[in-house]
């Protein structure tokens, strides 16, 4: 029986992370696209990568897929080098651009993917059906609508049954109904425990579908938290008041305050219940000139991803 | 979803299944079919089947047979070049990037393209020879086989050429550039007019162009003349040069990742 303990199934602490980025830097000549990103993503997490144009999302994704080699730092996907993980079908992706041949039919494209991954014809058919492409199976890819092409990319990505699915702005250019349909499919899929990383500009998508949100700006991670944390941070209000001589530590002790900032005589208190904060300030301190502003996810996004003034 | 049961495909992903699908796609492309299968046969019918050519003898056959072999070489060349040049279209469409997200190794991808090029090259030669047999071409029995085989095998030069160009020129319409180039090379290489009819200086230069060797070798079983060593060296050197060029561009392409 002693041998059993040695071969026990790996516990959660020793199982490899789905994604491990360690001090990853990517430069293109003078441009630093990714500037020292360290990130660990556990199996089963659904992570949104948010950031403005040129933040380095696609470059990060490319490195996870082995399409770009980092200038510095290490990338591991399920404990392996990215190209190896890709070849084994551990990771698959729906890319931001291109990647389809117009003169293949939908069915042929999926069958070719199946052939390459050593999957059967029946599995290819099942993938077509799952992606809702059965009706257009014999249509040339070049004649398919943008939404159909995107579903085709999705079907191809799911064929190897990857542990990790990467989506780079998967719904860009889709109408509202198309986006809804696409995300329902993803949600059904992730219910089975697949790890998903998606880059997006749509905050509501990050809000609705991600367990964890990573904000990037100019190649750096500027915020990283659960969707709930980000929402709490984003959905509260800010109470602004004039209160000379206040210290941040004192302000943090005010009931309901989760963040506080002192700018000269002005204090900025952030929290979920602004009424409670305002009442406290007016009744228990010398604060005056109160102003209450609400912050939404959009504001948080803009604040976190805005350019430095310098 | 188990990590441990996943395995890599054999031969780096090179498979008959992929070749079959790729062939089907190629045959769907009207332009490819016309240029590689129809055009050489039509050229043969237009330029090689006059009654004078049918009665004039060359080696063990007739001039019509001579023109047929030249046109078969031309067809094989167009076919293998466009097979190799598929790379260019696929790079431009971002398909190569998509393939990089599969277990298909880059070397297996190139091997697939060369196989495809050689398959359509074989079909092109077969079509030309079938048309020739029905339209008055006369060749010694052994030459029917040997000329066809040589035209086909030597067209490997142009599979390498197509690949090189495919990696060099990322374009959706690469054959629109390469078609005229091949026509000029064919002319210079003596496929349309014998090089000796071009004047001494030009004939000397022509012997160093890449089509010359293939044409000379392919027609040798019929004509039994010409400098076969020179022709063989021509084929080997040009294949080596184009293959080296293709490898060089291919390396750059995969290094950039
Ligand atoms: N191959 C390349 N050569 C040079 N610069 C590049 C290359 N790829 C990306 N960049 C630059 O790197 C930076 C990050 O680009 P990236 O495509 O990763 O951004 P992104 O976050 O995906 O943006 P978007 O939201 O617009 O898709 C940009 O400044 C971009 O111009
Ligand atoms: Mg991008």
């Amino acid at each position: 029986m002693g041998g059993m303990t040695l071969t026990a199934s790996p516990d959660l602490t020793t199982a490899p992370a789905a994604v491990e980025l360690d001090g990853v830097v990517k430069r293109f000549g003078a441009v630093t696209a990714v500037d020292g990103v360290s990130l660990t993503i556990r199996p089963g997490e659904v992570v949104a990568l948010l950031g403005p144009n040129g933040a380095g999302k696609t470059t990060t994704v490319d490195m996870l897929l082995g399409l770009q080699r980092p200038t510095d730092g290490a990338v591991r996907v399920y404990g392996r080098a990215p190209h190896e993980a890709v070849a084994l079908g551990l990771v698959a992706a729906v890319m931001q651009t291109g990647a389809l041949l117009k003169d293949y039919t939908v069915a042929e494209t999926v069958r070719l993917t199946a052939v390459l991954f050593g999957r059967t014809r029946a599995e290819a058919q099942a993938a077509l059906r799952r992606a809702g492409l059965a009706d257009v199976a014999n249509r040339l890819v070049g004649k398919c609508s943008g939404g159909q092409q995107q579903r085709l990319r999705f079907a191809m990505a799911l064929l190897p049954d990857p542990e990790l699915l990467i989506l780079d702005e998967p719904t860009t250019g889709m109408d509202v109904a198309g986006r809804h349909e696409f995300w329902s499919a993803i949600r059904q899929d992730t219910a089975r425990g697949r790890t998903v990383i998606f880059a997006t500009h749509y905050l509501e998508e990050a809000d609705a579908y991600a367990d964890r949100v990573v904000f990037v700006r100019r190649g750096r991670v500027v915020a990283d938290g659960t969707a709930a944390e980000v929402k709490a941070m984003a959905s509260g209000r800010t109470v602004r008041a004039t209160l000379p001589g206040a210290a941040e530590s004192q302000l943090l002790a005010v009931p309901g305050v989760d963040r506080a900032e002192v700018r000269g005589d002005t204090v900025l208190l952030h929290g979920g219940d602004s009424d409670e904060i305002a009442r406290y300030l007016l009744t228990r301190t010398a604060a005056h000139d109160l102003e209450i502003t609400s912050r939404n996810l959009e504001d948080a996004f803009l604040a976190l991803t805005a350019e430095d003034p310098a | 979803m188990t990590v441990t049961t996943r395995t890599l495909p054999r031969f780096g992903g090179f498979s008959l299944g992929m070749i079959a699908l790729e062939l089907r796609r190629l045959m769907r492309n009207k332009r490819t079919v016309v240029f590689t299968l129809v055009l050489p046969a039509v050229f043969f019918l237009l330029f090689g089947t006059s009654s004078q050519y049918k009665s004039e003898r060359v080696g063990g056959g007739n001039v019509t047979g001579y023109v047929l072999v030249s046109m078969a070489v031309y067809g094989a060349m167009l076919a293998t070049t466009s097979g190799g040049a598929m790379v260019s279209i696929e790079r431009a469409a971002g398909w190569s990037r998509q393939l990089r997200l599969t277990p298909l190794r880059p070397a297996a991808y190139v091997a697939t393209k060369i196989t495809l090029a050689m398959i359509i090259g074989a079909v092109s030669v077969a079509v030309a020879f079938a048309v020739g047999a029905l339209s008055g071409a006369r060749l010694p029995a052994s030459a029917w086989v040997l000329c066809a085989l040589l035209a086909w095998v030597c067209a490997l030069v142009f599979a390498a050429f197509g690949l090189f160009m495919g990696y060099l020129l990322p374009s959706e319409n690469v054959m629109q550039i390469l078609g005229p180039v091949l026509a000029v090379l064919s002319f210079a290489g003596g496929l349309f007019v014998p090089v000796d009819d071009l004047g001494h200086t030009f004939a000397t230069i022509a012997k160093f162009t890449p089509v010359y060797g293939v044409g000379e070798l392919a027609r040798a079983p019929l004509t039994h003349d010409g400098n076969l060593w020179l022709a063989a060296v021509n084929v080997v050197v040009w294949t080596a040069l184009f293959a080296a060029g293709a490898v060089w561009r291919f390396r750059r392409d995969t290094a950039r990742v």
Side-chain angles (χ1 to χ4, degrees), chain A residues 84-123:
Chain A
E84 211 179 287
V86 162
L88 287 170
L90 283 167
V91 49
V94 176
M95 312 276 262
Q96 191 172 5
T97 52
L100 290 172
L101 282 181
K102 292 191 185 83
D103 45 3
Y104 264 132
T105 65
V106 169
E108 285 167 352
T109 307
V110 174
R111 202 176 321 142
L112 177 62
T113 311
V115 163
L116 291 172
F117 280 104
R119 302 283 163 153
T120 63
R121 214 172 242 257
E123 284 173 289

Side-chain angles (χ1 to χ4, degrees), chain A:
Chain A
M1 287 306 284
M4 288 301 286
T5 50
L6 290 173
T7 56
S9 61
D11 61 88
L12 284 170
T13 50
T14 58
V19 165
E20 183 92 63
L21 293 171
D22 187 10
V24 171
V25 175
K26 180 69 193 181
R27 289 193 196 93
F28 298 101
V31 179
T32 304
V34 174
D35 192 7
V37 168
S38 296
L39 205 58
T40 303
I41 294 170
R42 289 179 303 280
E45 275 190 299
V46 177
V47 179
L49 219 47
L50 275 169
N53 290 126
K57 303 183 294 294
T58 298
T59 308
T60 304
V61 162
D62 278 359
M63 288 190 287
L64 290 177
L65 294 169
L67 294 171
Q68 302 270 7
R69 218 169 276 153
T71 311
D72 201 3
V75 181
R76 308 294 283 174
V77 177
Y78 282 93
R80 295 168 190 272
H83 70 93
E84 211 179 287
V86 162
L88 287 170
L90 283 167
V91 49
V94 176
M95 312 276 262
Q96 191 172 5
T97 52
L100 290 172
L101 282 181
K102 292 191 185 83
D103 45 3
Y104 264 132
T105 65
V106 169
E108 285 167 352
T109 307
V110 174
R111 202 176 321 142
L112 177 62
T113 311
V115 163
L116 291 172
F117 280 104
R119 302 283 163 153
T120 63
R121 214 172 242 257
E123 284 173 289
Q125 300 253 293
L128 273 179
R129 274 196 307 274
R130 238 182 310 153
L133 290 167
D135 295 341
V136 293
N138 293 318
R139 192 170 296 175
L140 286 180
V141 171
K143 301 238 160 74
C144 288
S145 73
Q148 287 166 339
Q149 292 189 1
Q150 198 63 350
R151 267 185 276 162
L152 174 55
R153 292 191 187 96
F154 183 50
M156 291 162 77
L158 286 189
L159 244 180
D161 193 15
E163 307 279 332
L164 167 63
L165 183 63
I166 296 181
L167 311 160
D168 194 0
E169 295 185 32
T171 59
T172 301
M174 282 190 191
D175 60 18
V176 178
R179 271 162 63 185
H180 180 77
E181 210 178 307
F182 183 85
W183 282 110
S184 317
I186 296 278
R187 187 177 273 197
Q188 270 179 19
D189 191 71
T190 53
R192 276 176 272 155
R194 214 187 291 283
T195 315
V196 176
I197 300 174
F198 65 98
T200 186
H201 289 286
Y202 296 113
L203 299 156
E204 63 275 25
E205 285 187 349
D207 192 5
Y209 304 104
D211 311 324
R212 178 173 165 196
V213 178
V214 176
F215 284 92
V216 270
R217 180 180 63 110
R218 292 218 233 140
R220 294 191 183 185
V221 174
V222 290
D224 180 355
T226 65
E229 283 167 350
V230 171
K231 229 173 149 182
M233 177 178 79
S235 62
R237 290 195 172 125
T238 302
V239 181
R240 184 191 179 106
T242 306
L243 182 59
E248 235 167 67
S249 54
Q250 290 174 312
L251 295 170
L252 278 170
V254 173
V257 169
D258 47 36
R259 270 186 297 134
E261 196 185 327
V262 179
R263 290 186 196 160
D265 286 348
T266 304
V267 297
L268 293 151
L269 301 180
H270 187 269
D273 187 348
S274 53
D275 291 344
E276 191 187 347
I277 297 169
R279 192 173 300 118
Y280 184 94
L281 286 177
L282 290 171
T283 56
R284 312 279 295 268
T285 71
H288 54 98
D289 287 344
L290 260 67
E291 217 176 281
I292 300 177
T293 52
S294 65
R295 291 184 74 182
N296 53 27
L297 198 56
E298 193 93 23
D299 289 328
F301 178 73
L302 289 174
L304 284 164
T305 59
E307 294 295 310
D308 288 331

